[in-house]
Amino acid sequence: MSIQTVGIIGAGTMGNGIAQACAVSGVNVVMVDISDAAVAKGLATVAGSLDRLIKKEKITEADKAAALSRIKTSTIYDDLKSAQLVIEAATENYDLKVKIVKQLDGMLAPEAIIASNTSSISITKLAAVTTRADRFIGMHFFNPVPMMALVEIIRGLQTSDATHAAVHDLSTRLGKSPITVKNAPGFVVNRILVPMINEAFFVLAEGVATAEDIDAGMKLGCNQPIGPLALADMIGLDVCVAVMDVYLQEFGDSKYRACPLLKEMVAAGQLGRKTGKGVYTY
């Protein structure tokens, strides 16, 4: 199955990033959100991002015009009927995602594929609420989507080989480097990343080293572009705790307990960059 048109639910950070990646690669996009203002903001973000690429001489004005001409925006789900694949990129909320995928399932062509850009919700569980569980898959893009090469392709228990092949092929056409992952809490990257961040908080809490030295150690010793504590501030300390809590609940293994210092900082409202203070002050 060759995917020519991709539908995207959500024009926020992830949705507009996926739209840009598709449009630049010659794939037609229908980007849907709940209001005209939301889709206009999403399209403006794409235009601004393309302008930065022009300044860096990565693309031309003509490339920008061509990419933007491939993005159609709408507030009506019916406009997604031309899509062979629809990617749900709404807020990370199970009930909301269920509502969206059920709506899509009822109106898309029988052969169309539904994908979720979830970073934590079970693909198997979402697939089960549709009548096309074999044509349901996870496509976990990383932020910022236009810059990050990785896509985690998550196979639910029911995902067919044909669905996986079509989505893998599209990911490659978008210039991404996909990895295939079984459905499991945190998939691959976050399963390894967030416990590493949590461990950095234990090291900090035990007074083994200062925050600055912990981050410098991981940058210089492990070639990471940003230290784990600075990264936690970027992600949001509350998000880190929520992810660890999911792992603890799903795996039932005490190694996934959130560091008490991390939980204490969240209780204090020190969530990182978004509140102006986390491990560091912004």
Side-chain angles (χ1 to χ4, degrees):
M1 178 191 195
S2 181
I3 296 164
Q4 304 304 324
T5 301
V6 171
I8 299 168
I9 304 284
T13 305
M14 297 307 286
N16 68 57
I18 298 166
Q20 179 179 327
C22 290
V24 165
S25 305
V27 178
N28 294 317
V29 174
V30 181
M31 184 168 65
V32 173
D33 211 319
I34 52 172
S35 69
D36 289 327
V39 289
K41 188 180 175 191
L43 196 59
T45 302
V46 173
S49 176
L50 294 172
D51 283 337
R52 286 193 292 280
L53 291 174
I54 291 169
K55 272 187 187 161
K56 291 177 183 171
E57 297 182 355
K58 297 270 177 77
I59 63 168
T60 64
E61 284 284 357
D63 294 332
K64 177 192 171 184
L68 290 176
S69 73
R70 292 188 193 105
I71 303 174
K72 180 185 176 183
T73 60
S74 175
T75 55
I76 303 161
Y77 270 55
D78 268 9
D79 288 340
L80 296 163
K81 283 183 176 172
S82 62
Q84 292 84 43
L85 165 72
V86 177
I87 303 169
E88 167 281 307
T91 313
E92 199 69 353
N93 175 300
Y94 175 72
D95 293 331
L96 175 64
K97 288 190 189 292
V98 165
K99 187 182 164 195
I100 290 168
V101 299
K102 278 185 171 176
Q103 200 172 337
L104 291 172
D105 187 38
M107 53 151 295
L108 293 177
E111 65 278 7
I113 297 168
I114 301 175
S116 176
N117 177 54
T118 181
S119 58
S120 66
I121 294 167
S122 166
I123 296 301
T124 298
K125 204 169 161 185
L126 285 174
V129 306
T130 74
T131 59
R132 61 182 86 209
D134 60 320
R135 290 184 303 289
F136 195 97
I137 199 162
M139 283 184 89
H140 181 212
F141 290 84
F142 287 75
N143 188 26
V145 178
M147 309 297 293
M148 299 291 273
L150 182 65
V151 179
E152 286 182 319
I153 299 178
I154 302 110
R155 295 189 68 147
L157 196 62
Q158 320 91 316
T159 307
S160 72
D161 290 345
T163 297
H164 173 264
V167 168
H168 193 281
D169 174 61
L170 175 73
S171 301
T172 308
R173 276 164 58 204
L174 300 185
K176 302 299 180 191
S177 301
I179 62 169
T180 300
V181 180
K182 277 187 195 169
N183 186 60
F187 312 133
V188 168
V189 175
N190 287 338
R191 166 89 175 266
I192 297 167
L193 177 69
V194 183
M196 182 197 76
I197 288 171
N198 192 53
E199 196 61 31
F201 274 92
F202 274 113
V203 172
L204 180 66
E206 290 163 19
V208 177
T210 63
E212 290 79 4
D213 282 353
I214 292 166
D215 278 353
M218 292 305 287
K219 280 161 70 178
L220 299 170
C222 297
N223 213 19
Q224 293 182 351
I226 181 172
L229 298 172
L231 182 58
D233 277 352
M234 214 158 105
I235 293 168
L237 271 53
D238 52 336
V239 176
C240 295
V241 169
V243 172
M244 290 304 293
D245 287 348
V246 167
Y247 296 168
L248 186 62
Q249 185 187 335
E250 295 285 332
F251 293 114
D253 188 329
S254 63
K255 73 177 181 181
Y256 293 113
R257 74 201 185 286
C259 174
L261 172 64
L262 178 56
K263 290 168 83 169
E264 187 78 355
M265 289 172 75
V266 170
Q270 296 173 10
L271 309 182
R273 289 192 184 193
K274 60 188 171 187
T275 58
K277 182 163 172 52
V279 176
Y280 301 101
T281 303
Y282 298 90

